[in-house]
Amino acid sequence: MAESARRGRGGGGAARRAERSAVSFETAKYIERNIPNFEILTEEALQIIETNAEIVLEEVGVNFLDNPAAIQRWRDAGAEIDGERVRIPRGLARKLCATAPSQYTQHARNPARNVVVGGNNLVLAPVYGPPFVRDAVGGRRYATMDDFNKFVKLGYMSKWLHHSGGTVCEPTDIPVNKRHLDMLYAHMTLSDKPFMGSVTEPSRAQDSVDMCKILFGEEFVRDNTVMTSLININSPMTFDDVMMGALEVYAQNNQACIISPFIVGGAMAPVSVAGTLTQVLAETLAGIAYSQLIRPGAPVIMGAFVTSIDMNSGAPTFGTPEAAHITYGAGQLARRLGLPYRSAGSFCGSKLPDAQAAYETANSLNMGLLSGVNFMLHACGWLEGGLVSSFEKFVMDADQLGTLHHLARGVEVDENAQAMGAIREVGPGGHYLGCEHTQNNFKSAFWKSDLLDYKPFETWEDEGARDTQALATLRVEKMLADYQAPALDPAIREKLDAFVAQKKSAEPDSFM
Amino acid sequence: MAESARRGRGGGGAARRAERSAVSFETAKYIERNIPNFEILTEEALQIIETNAEIVLEEVGVNFLDNPAAIQRWRDAGAEIDGERVRIPRGLARKLCATAPSQYTQHARNPARNVVVGGNNLVLAPVYGPPFVRDAVGGRRYATMDDFNKFVKLGYMSKWLHHSGGTVCEPTDIPVNKRHLDMLYAHMTLSDKPFMGSVTEPSRAQDSVDMCKILFGEEFVRDNTVMTSLININSPMTFDDVMMGALEVYAQNNQACIISPFIVGGAMAPVSVAGTLTQVLAETLAGIAYSQLIRPGAPVIMGAFVTSIDMNSGAPTFGTPEAAHITYGAGQLARRLGLPYRSAGSFCGSKLPDAQAAYETANSLNMGLLSGVNFMLHACGWLEGGLVSSFEKFVMDADQLGTLHHLARGVEVDENAQAMGAIREVGPGGHYLGCEHTQNNFKSAFWKSDLLDYKPFETWEDEGARDTQALATLRVEKMLADYQAPALDPAIREKLDAFVAQKKSAEPDSFM
């Protein structure tokens, strides 16, 4: 935990006083890879998949449901229309995608926390979407707004997490038609990291934009990207009006969207890797092309959320080799399109933050780094196939994200790193612990977990023989006790309060 | 568990009868990678490290302790000798290494279980060396021969494990000077997978060779490699007479050795990755060159056992990014030498088979596959920094090794894999579960754990809400209950019995 000077946007004496008294928590810069990507597909395989995706778009096409304006846009762009079916001539979707930027900056209200999405970068954001939460004390239960706020606080305090995320859990105690307001308010006030907007209705996307205008200033939002939001495709090949309506709002406002198939392999896509990649590419080409029909140059991320399936139970499975194949391959396809790429995460099927959860998560996090992912949603806290946000697993995974940062640094070979002086000094049979090179370098040489157990056996036993989950329970408690909110101009907070109150009073509660 | 016809070596009617009644357990073929290796070092970095390693050998040199014959061999080969210090002129070690084969076959007594070490292959062997064992029922305790036998049985029954290993735990209830006989006897009789020989005294290496002559036939052992044994270098830069004596026995008999630095970074090597790689290369060049001075063409593996260190506690740390950097880099160095490569494993520092253990292990297993490791010792069962062989973790890790097999298959792009018929058939909004392509391919499409939990939440809860360790405890019990020994010619068994009895009676017990 380190205090650091920060400059918020907006101002006034009260804001400055609030800033001076606030503690800031250290956050690592987003990962800038200094290592190559792992390229699993040959040039021939890539060409086959790219050709097949174009054939799928032209001959099978995609559906844009309940969205006459979208159909008209596609017609005007040269697609062949048959009811809600849009068949896209070969090359058209790829050509439309060319106006999407290869990278963009998402601004945070604390400029030190801005992230650049694309290129060699990797931005890490927490779990998104679970209706349940779990912790060792309270067990598994429906998520509430109180849980949501806690996850935002943990994310704010997590050193290796660059992004506050979006629906870190579903606050089921708040009406469906109003919870987006509370969620955005939490991200805006409890954290100063970048965040995501609502996508559950076009009007809620507009509310998200409007709240950002309060937080960042109207002019700033007009000129800059301040949200990255998640637009799922209904695989196979279907774009519904709700998600597309939200995409339209965001693209019109120059706000970024992840356009992402949501695929359980064997159910929503072919049971083969090459077939799934073909569908992923066709779907993302169509979705991203559509974003560029709304506004050429609108920032987008090519997404691929893909799991395998246990054909006995029908359960989705995570951290599996086939998901890794797809993630590696989709990364190559995204780079050839020149687009930022979203995939991977702290995926697991386990009900508990146990060894299964950790194997599956580590498999996924590692391949996420090596596949060239630029934006990793669900990077910590995911449990039970995405049904549960786990407090313990949130801090466990967030700690492991440090390994990705250090791996991505690559290998230095400057004179200091070569350490020839140390090798000469120590010689055969000697010991490096005391030598000058070790003393000069040990502090930054090795990544060190802030959570895991490295103690001698006897100490560990005396302290209660705690497993990782037990250590994580303590960590969660301590972090929430230590939490201090980042400073925020009271005038801005008042305007946000007023906006939320006005919106909430404007329509009756709905839990549908 | 599948019955399969097998042909053992040696024969006779009794052998054939024993074979017909025996059950065999399915073992996957060693991994043949159809994916690229991950190359973290640039050509420039590789050249710097290779040049520096030659400088170290020439200017600093290595120590061969208490071994006048080795010193003489080095003198004859052109090294500069100063007492026990051997300084090797630039290029000499590399030139000597050129006679070592780029790959070799290690024969098993069941020829279907032979392994080819080198090239694109990856052979997986279990944990080696821990003095303690742990399971959920009995806790942590000194290992016994009974534990040893159980681990050999589990290894024999583990589908994704190709090799029976060596000292799967230290049977501390057997005298130190006799336990190698019981360990080899266990590998030879309880399993039919390939195994490792003793390295704790040259005479015990000779016993290992002699027992192999009984098992395989004298002529067969003369002409073939039937053991791969572990020769550790005393890093930094020291080769002791015990290990070198064992190496001499094995090399003379054309049996394979892993020649491997054992490095806790910052203590036995520089605290930097490039410095450690330089030392690893210098040490293995010297050790492998020495094996070729004993017998040109003797099969060897270039090893790199490297961990980082927690500079606060001095504890070695596992599954860390710096260990991954070194493992990736050493793989590149081994390939440039044209030698098989040993590294990685189920490494972890955790005291329990919990989430920490699984994160660290998965990190290490994944980088082991991608770094081009050819022989992975410790691929399952390692716990607590190598102090403990864990029964539960053995089966947990062994299950995860299946992910490496499937990852290594790479991505098929033949017509069936392209699945264009399925994409056309299902179309936008459809479902793939019922389509013909899915029905034809689902059985082999996805890797499936035999251990982890994929059940619906309610079922899992009704069954006791078990974590991975609890599932593994049951798995261990079931496997040991189901175990059946592979058939062995009774005449061979009698000769092994007689050899072990004669050797045991020939000298007094020693527990030193």
Side-chain angles (χ1 to χ4, degrees):
Chain A
M1 185 187 329
E3 283 190 66
S4 72
R6 292 169 304 100
R7 205 181 54 78
R9 291 201 177 75
R16 280 192 293 275
R17 278 190 299 279
E19 274 189 32
R20 276 197 298 273
S21 66
V23 169
S24 181
F25 298 92
E26 187 189 349
T27 294
K29 193 178 178 191
Y30 52 84
I31 293 173
E32 296 169 286
R33 286 181 182 82
N34 194 30
I35 57 173
N37 295 307
F38 185 70
E39 313 258 330
I40 202 165
L41 298 179
T42 62
E43 176 66 27
E44 186 200 357
L46 288 162
Q47 287 181 14
I48 288 171
I49 290 165
E50 287 172 342
T51 301
N52 284 349
E54 294 285 354
I55 292 170
V56 168
L57 289 174
E58 178 168 85
E59 298 182 14
V60 182
V62 299
N63 282 351
F64 274 75
L65 302 182
D66 304 318
N67 197 340
I71 295 293
Q72 188 57 47
R73 288 188 186 97
W74 276 116
R75 196 191 312 272
D76 295 345
E80 182 194 315
I81 304 300
D82 177 9
E84 296 188 314
R85 183 72 60 96
V86 177
R87 292 190 174 83
I88 306 170
R90 289 190 207 193
L92 175 60
R94 186 169 284 264
K95 189 175 147 229
L96 290 170
C97 288
T99 55
S102 60
Q103 63 175 51
Y104 68 91
T105 298
Q106 181 183 350
H107 293 263
R109 72 174 170 96
N110 176 352
R113 307 248 158 115
N114 292 354
V115 292
V116 178
V117 179
N120 285 326
N121 302 344
L122 171 55
V123 174
L124 300 167
V127 62
Y128 186 106
F132 297 100
V133 297
R134 176 185 271 281
D135 59 24
V137 179
R140 183 186 193 259
R141 59 195 186 269
Y142 275 103
T144 66
M145 197 62 216
D146 183 54
D147 294 314
F148 188 100
N149 289 338
K150 286 178 179 166
F151 278 114
V152 173
K153 291 175 181 177
L154 293 176
Y156 170 61
M157 297 170 81
S158 294
K159 179 177 175 183
W160 307 114
L161 205 61
H162 318 114
H163 203 281
S164 195
T167 310
V168 287
C169 61
E170 276 288 349
T172 59
D173 55 338
I174 310 290
V176 168
N177 59 337
K178 299 178 180 178
R179 63 177 66 148
H180 67 288
L181 300 164
D182 289 346
M183 291 195 279
L184 277 160
Y185 184 84
H187 286 298
M188 290 176 171
T189 59
L190 300 177
S191 179
D192 63 5
K193 295 185 180 181
F195 53 81
M196 306 172 78
S198 176
V199 296
T200 53
E201 279 289 344
S203 67
R204 297 173 199 157
Q206 189 58 53
D207 286 346
S208 306
V209 173
D210 292 343
M211 286 178 76
C212 281
K213 287 180 178 168
I214 297 171
L215 184 69
F216 290 92
E218 201 147 335
E219 200 177 337
F220 193 85
V221 172
R222 201 178 55 226
D223 298 339
N224 295 284
T225 297
V226 296
M227 283 181 285
T228 298
S229 304
L230 177 62
I231 302 296
N232 280 325
I233 299 165
N234 290 358
S235 302
M237 316 291 286
T238 303
F239 298 79
D240 70 50
D241 60 319
V242 172
M243 281 285 168
M244 289 304 103
L247 170 63
E248 289 157 15
V249 170
Y250 286 124
Q252 277 153 4
N253 285 279
N254 205 29
Q255 299 305 309
C257 286
I258 305 163
I259 299 183
S260 194
F262 181 96
I263 290 176
V264 178
M268 285 96 107
V271 79
S272 65
V273 170
T276 299
L277 282 170
T278 299
Q279 186 180 310
V280 164
L281 181 57
E283 290 178 349
T284 50
L285 279 171
I288 292 168
Y290 184 66
S291 75
Q292 303 302 302
L293 287 179
I294 301 295
R295 174 170 169 155
V300 283
I301 301 175
M302 173 176 157
F305 177 98
V306 180
T307 79
S308 44
I309 190 171
D310 172 21
M311 284 290 182
N312 290 345
S313 65
T317 51
F318 297 90
T320 60
E322 294 76 25
H325 287 156
I326 292 166
T327 305
Y328 286 127
Q332 292 178 265
L333 294 168
R335 287 191 289 282
R336 285 159 73 97
L337 271 168
L339 289 174
Y341 174 46
R342 170 262 165 143
S343 196
S346 60
F347 297 143
C348 64
S350 186
K351 316 295 185 291
L352 297 169
D354 59 2
Q356 173 176 353
Y359 282 126
E360 292 173 339
T361 292
N363 289 347
S364 186
L365 293 180
N366 280 294
M367 61 95 177
L369 177 70
L370 299 187
S371 64
V373 166
N374 299 114
F375 191 94
M376 192 191 290
L377 194 57
H378 309 298
C380 62
W382 168 290
L383 195 69
E384 203 188 315
L387 284 174
V388 173
S389 293
S390 159
F391 283 99
E392 283 92 357
K393 190 155 179 287
F394 193 99
V395 299
M396 289 157 58
D397 295 336
D399 179 68
Q400 281 292 304
L401 297 179
T403 68
L404 304 189
H405 283 74
H406 277 242
L407 259 174
R409 289 181 183 176
V411 178
E412 284 177 11
V413 287
D414 59 15
E415 206 177 305
N416 181 58
Q418 291 179 44
M420 288 295 278
I423 295 175
R424 288 179 203 274
E425 178 188 338
V426 171
H431 213 288
Y432 285 87
L433 278 181
C435 85
E436 196 186 336
H437 181 266
T438 306
Q439 294 302 313
N440 290 344
N441 291 279
F442 80 87
K443 278 186 186 159
S444 62
F446 297 138
W447 173 76
K448 185 176 177 301
S449 166
D450 288 323
L451 175 68
L452 301 181
D453 161 62
Y454 296 152
K455 291 180 177 165
F457 176 78
E458 292 72 19
T459 312
W460 171 81
E461 203 172 36
D462 288 348
E463 292 180 358
R466 292 174 296 207
D467 68 5
T468 318
Q469 186 181 345
L471 295 174
T473 300
L474 297 175
R475 170 60 52 95
V476 170
E477 283 170 9
K478 172 155 175 48
M479 286 174 78
L480 293 177
D482 288 348
Y483 171 80
Q484 287 186 264
L488 179 65
D489 183 341
I492 290 176
R493 182 185 295 269
E494 274 167 35
K495 283 186 202 158
L496 288 172
D497 286 333
F499 182 91
V500 170
Q502 184 270 319
K503 280 283 169 180
K504 282 193 170 184
S505 67
E507 54 176 309
D509 291 354
S510 165
F511 277 90
M512 295 289 285
Chain B
M1 187 187 328
E3 282 189 68
S4 72
R6 292 169 303 102
R7 203 180 55 78
R9 291 201 179 75
R16 280 191 295 273
R17 278 191 300 280
E19 275 189 29
R20 277 196 298 272
S21 67
V23 168
S24 181
F25 298 92
E26 188 188 349
T27 293
K29 194 179 177 190
Y30 52 84
I31 293 173
E32 296 169 287
R33 286 181 181 81
N34 195 30
I35 57 173
N37 295 307
F38 185 70
E39 314 258 332
I40 201 165
L41 298 178
T42 62
E43 175 66 26
E44 186 200 358
L46 287 162
Q47 286 180 14
I48 288 170
I49 290 164
E50 286 171 342
T51 301
N52 285 349
E54 295 284 355
I55 292 170
V56 168
L57 288 174
E58 178 168 82
E59 299 182 14
V60 181
V62 300
N63 283 352
F64 274 74
L65 302 182
D66 304 318
N67 197 339
I71 295 293
Q72 190 57 47
R73 287 188 186 98
W74 276 116
R75 197 191 311 271
D76 294 346
E80 182 194 315
I81 304 299
D82 178 8
E84 295 188 315
R85 183 72 60 96
V86 178
R87 292 189 176 83
I88 306 171
R90 288 189 209 196
L92 176 59
R94 186 170 284 266
K95 190 176 145 225
L96 290 169
C97 289
T99 55
S102 60
Q103 65 175 49
Y104 68 91
T105 299
Q106 180 183 350
H107 292 263
R109 71 173 170 98
N110 176 354
R113 309 248 158 116
N114 293 354
V115 292
V116 179
V117 179
N120 286 326
N121 302 343
L122 172 55
V123 174
L124 300 168
V127 61
Y128 186 105
F132 297 101
V133 296
R134 175 185 272 281
D135 59 25
V137 179
R140 184 185 191 259
R141 58 193 186 272
Y142 275 104
T144 65
M145 196 63 217
D146 183 54
D147 294 314
F148 189 100
N149 289 338
K150 285 178 181 166
F151 278 115
V152 173
K153 290 176 182 177
L154 293 176
Y156 171 60
M157 297 170 79
S158 294
K159 179 178 175 185
W160 307 114
L161 205 61
H162 317 113
H163 202 282
S164 195
T167 309
V168 287
C169 61
E170 277 287 350
T172 60
D173 55 339
I174 310 290
V176 168
N177 59 336
K178 299 179 181 179
R179 64 177 65 148
H180 66 289
L181 300 164
D182 290 347
M183 291 194 279
L184 277 160
Y185 185 84
H187 285 299
M188 289 178 171
T189 58
L190 300 177
S191 178
D192 63 5
K193 294 185 181 181
F195 53 82
M196 306 173 78
S198 176
V199 296
T200 54
E201 278 289 344
S203 67
R204 296 173 198 155
Q206 189 60 53
D207 286 346
S208 306
V209 172
D210 293 343
M211 286 179 75
C212 281
K213 287 179 180 169
I214 297 171
L215 184 68
F216 289 93
E218 202 147 333
E219 199 177 337
F220 192 86
V221 171
R222 203 177 54 225
D223 299 338
N224 294 286
T225 297
V226 297
M227 283 180 286
T228 299
S229 304
L230 178 62
I231 303 296
N232 279 326
I233 299 165
N234 290 359
S235 301
M237 316 292 285
T238 303
F239 297 79
D240 70 49
D241 59 321
V242 172
M243 281 284 169
M244 288 304 102
L247 170 63
E248 289 157 17
V249 170
Y250 286 124
Q252 278 152 3
N253 285 280
N254 205 29
Q255 298 306 308
C257 286
I258 304 163
I259 299 182
S260 193
F262 181 96
I263 291 175
V264 178
M268 287 95 105
V271 80
S272 65
V273 169
T276 298
L277 282 170
T278 299
Q279 187 180 310
V280 164
L281 181 58
E283 291 178 348
T284 50
L285 279 171
I288 291 167
Y290 184 65
S291 75
Q292 303 302 301
L293 287 179
I294 301 294
R295 173 170 169 156
V300 283
I301 300 175
M302 174 176 156
F305 178 98
V306 180
T307 78
S308 45
I309 191 172
D310 172 21
M311 285 289 183
N312 290 344
S313 65
T317 51
F318 297 91
T320 58
E322 294 76 24
H325 287 156
I326 292 166
T327 304
Y328 287 128
Q332 291 178 266
L333 295 169
R335 287 191 289 283
R336 285 159 72 97
L337 271 168
L339 290 173
Y341 174 47
R342 170 261 165 143
S343 197
S346 59
F347 298 142
C348 64
S350 186
K351 315 296 186 291
L352 297 170
D354 59 1
Q356 173 177 351
Y359 283 126
E360 292 174 338
T361 291
N363 288 348
S364 186
L365 294 179
N366 280 295
M367 61 95 177
L369 176 71
L370 299 187
S371 64
V373 167
N374 298 115
F375 191 93
M376 192 192 290
L377 194 58
H378 310 298
C380 62
W382 168 290
L383 195 69
E384 203 189 315
L387 285 175
V388 174
S389 293
S390 159
F391 283 98
E392 282 92 359
K393 188 155 180 287
F394 193 100
V395 299
M396 287 157 58
D397 295 336
D399 179 69
Q400 280 293 303
L401 297 179
T403 67
L404 305 188
H405 283 74
H406 277 242
L407 260 174
R409 288 181 183 176
V411 178
E412 287 176 9
V413 287
D414 59 15
E415 206 177 305
N416 180 58
Q418 289 178 44
M420 288 294 278
I423 295 175
R424 286 180 204 276
E425 180 188 335
V426 170
H431 214 289
Y432 284 88
L433 278 181
C435 85
E436 195 186 337
H437 181 266
T438 306
Q439 293 302 315
N440 290 344
N441 291 280
F442 79 88
K443 278 186 187 160
S444 62
F446 296 138
W447 173 76
K448 184 177 178 300
S449 166
D450 288 323
L451 175 68
L452 302 180
D453 160 61
Y454 295 154
K455 292 179 176 166
F457 177 78
E458 291 72 19
T459 312
W460 170 82
E461 203 173 37
D462 289 347
E463 292 180 358
R466 292 174 295 206
D467 68 5
T468 318
Q469 185 180 346
L471 295 174
T473 301
L474 297 174
R475 169 61 52 94
V476 170
E477 284 170 9
K478 173 156 175 46
M479 287 175 79
L480 293 177
D482 289 347
Y483 172 77
Q484 286 187 265
L488 180 64
D489 182 342
I492 290 176
R493 182 185 295 268
E494 276 167 35
K495 283 184 202 160
L496 288 171
D497 287 333
F499 181 91
V500 170
Q502 183 271 319
K503 280 282 170 183
K504 283 194 170 183
S505 66
E507 53 176 309
D509 291 355
S510 165
F511 276 91
M512 295 289 286

